[in-house]
């Protein structure tokens, strides 16, 4: 497999998560950009798509951030390989599945990536571990500046950056945080929190974006509006909301600690016991058990299990990573066996070290 | 507590179970006897009860099997202490709860015991590990001979030994095996097996006799008739039935191994994981998990966990043993915490050794 070097290791940006509290897993910044001299995606021809790719790769080559980045055209990857990139958050399902010339460019630690010919000609992404949202924002702005120096982008002096879908027009910026809120779910306060977020025009989704549900108590919070607000103000607002959510989660954790300490410890250690010993693990059960262990880490009950380890486990046990690791197609039942095996082995490595 | 030396150790007869296959846990033989010169239990006075005790203790003193046995009069033990003896199968709930002068005599390894002034003046019990039913039978016959040499027992030349309840008259012998049949329960064949046993006039009960249910897939099989059959023929019949049940269980285990190997391994190791890590364990869940681990031992999946260890755990985690170990009364919730703690600690000792 062309992605062999990827599948067995964690994206190295993840290792930065271990100094965080385990509540905020990561922050992502995304910019939508289109080249001025080509039709938007719905109208573009294949030769024009190829020209877009060529222009972008040339610009990247001469940039500081992406001069040594890896490029994969989707046409050289089979469906499984594309899914591996989706599971690593390097590309969207749309880029993996659509027709036409398209591809992805990403740097060594997978913290920066550029999808070419997705819904927009360019989708720039920066990701950073823990609560370092400002870092991702700074990185994406730098990459944007570097590419814009070499590429002429579709821009309107009144509207800002033009995009295929008007919801992205303006800054083209979408910021999101992936946040683990198990105590708010356990105390049944999450519904109330979600309502509050809706009123602030921030959306809440599961880990894999629109339409995915919040497996393992992981929520992705992102801004809705890209127009009428500066990039800085979107960032400040998201940071503020994230801090608030972390505060709510901590309160909920405190009340669990006070009112149901025994039950929470039991829940955490049962999950640890099952992850350590189960021979069959569905993806859903795995995510729920992982959530309980992660809560145990945040509460200080479980020690010696780094947050980055749990994050990597989440990636390594997804269907296409399992299939790639096995080197062959797997039935759902075989996946559940391999998932359990990988979790068991990796967990015994980390707990025995 | 007067039973301090007991509660922290396993009855030492149990250690003999480790050479067995883990399906048959133990065999018990019981004889009902009454002294010829005293009224039966329903009519006896307290002074007469005391005389019975004196006569039996004198006879035991001069016997080979029980000359160094320990005697506890029920009046010197509080309710909790009596329950400890019930949980160790040394006395019946009846002996623990009834009024009057009564007590129990038992030897060092707890394999031989004599209840005095229970439903009959004497209830002799011998217990042996694994499938060694013949051993228990031989031991009880020897003890019976030794005591009868010094005590005049109520006997009728036509009916045999006379007892308070006619269901025990004749040989006064009840033989039973405690047998673990998880695969027959899993494959839903147990109902059919139980019906067959009923036709053979053997009864099936839970581990703690009449009225108790089969927690943890443990069944106690015993003869109904004590009259009209010789001791030897009752023994042979029970051995034959036990072998048959073991055969059925093995067949059921084989079919599980062939048709649901993955699921069974998963069930076994999940149980192991939960016993190793849970912080709260109810008695019922504990018995179910222990059953799965025991199945894992029988199937050779789990190694290094002796059958005697599991049997001891079953005793050590019962309410009165927990209370005695704690040295104070425990609420049900506190019991579930201590049960989990004991299981966890002991399991980590045995798996790390």
């Amino acid at each position: 497999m062309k992605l062999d070097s990827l599948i067995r290791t964690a994206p190295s940006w993840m290792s930065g998560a271990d100094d965080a509290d385990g509540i905020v897993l990561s922050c992502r910044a995304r910019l939508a950009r289109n080249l001025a001299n080509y039709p938007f995606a719905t109208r573009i021809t294949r030769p024009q798509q190829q020209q877009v790719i060529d222009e972008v790769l040339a610009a990247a080559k001469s940039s500081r951030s992406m001069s040594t980045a890896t490029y994969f055209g989707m046409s050289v990857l089979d469906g499984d390989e594309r899914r591996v990139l989706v599971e690593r958050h390097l590309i969207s399902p749309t880029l993996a599945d659509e027709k036409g010339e398209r591809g992805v460019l990403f740097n060594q630690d997978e913290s920066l990536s550029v999808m070419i010919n997705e819904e927009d000609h360019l989708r720039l992404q920066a990701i950073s571990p823990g609560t370092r949202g400002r870092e991702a924002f700074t990185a994406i702005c730098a990459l944007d500046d570097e590419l814009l120096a070499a590429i002429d982008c579709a821009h309107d002096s009144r509207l800002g950056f033009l995009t295929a879908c008007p919801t992205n027009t303006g800054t083209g910026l979408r910021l999101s945080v992936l946040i683990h809120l198990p105590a708010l779910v356990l105390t049944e306060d999450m519904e109330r929190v979600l309502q509050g977020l809706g009123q602030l025009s921030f959306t809440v989704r599961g880990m894999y974006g629109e339409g995915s549900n919040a497996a393992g108590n992981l929520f992705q919070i992102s801004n809705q509006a890209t127009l009428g607000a500066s990039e800085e103000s979107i960032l400040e607002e998201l940071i503020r909301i994230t801090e608030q959510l972390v505060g709510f989660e901590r309160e909920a954790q405190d009340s669990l600690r006070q009112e149901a300490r025994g039950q929470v410890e039991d829940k955490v250690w049962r999950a640890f016991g099952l992850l350590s010993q189960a021979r069959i693990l569905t993806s859903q059960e795995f995510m729920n058990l992982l959530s309980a262990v992660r809560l145990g880490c945040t509460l200080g009950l479980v020690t010696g299990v780094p947050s980055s380890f749990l994050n990597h486990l989440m990636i390594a046990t997804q269907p296409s990573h399992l299939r790639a690791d096995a080197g062959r197609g797997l039935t759902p039942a075989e996946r559940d066996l391999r998932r359990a095996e990988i979790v068991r082995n990796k967990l015994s490595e980390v707990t025995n070290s």
Side-chain angles (χ1 to χ4, degrees), chain A residues 219-293:
Chain A
F219 298 87
Q220 192 173 281
I221 319 287
S222 59
N223 62 309
Q224 269 173 351
T226 54
L227 194 65
S230 73
E231 286 91 341
E232 266 295 340
S233 68
I234 296 173
L235 175 67
E236 293 308 325
E237 181 75 352
L238 187 66
I239 288 177
R240 197 183 61 75
I241 285 173
T242 304
E243 281 169 0
Q244 211 167 48
L245 282 174
V246 169
F248 291 155
E249 171 66 17
R250 287 206 179 288
E251 279 172 32
Q253 289 184 4
D254 284 344
S255 80
L256 281 180
R257 227 188 304 241
Q258 280 160 32
E259 287 157 37
R261 187 185 187 91
Q263 284 80 349
V264 171
E265 288 188 7
D266 187 51
K267 185 185 169 72
V268 165
W269 287 107
R270 279 171 181 259
F272 191 89
L274 288 174
L275 289 178
S276 306
Q277 295 293 353
R279 260 52 180 174
I280 299 173
L281 278 177
T282 65
S283 161
Q284 199 187 336
E285 187 189 11
F286 165 72
M287 288 298 283
N288 289 336
L289 296 175
L290 197 75
S291 173
V293 170

Side-chain angles (χ1 to χ4, degrees), chain A residues 34 40-42 94-95 117-121 123 164-165 167-168:
Chain A
N34 287 276
F40 279 2
T42 46
T94 305
L95 192 82
N117 293 323
E118 205 241 21
E119 184 182 301
D120 294 296
H121 295 155
R123 285 284 175 101
C165 176
T167 57
N168 294 314

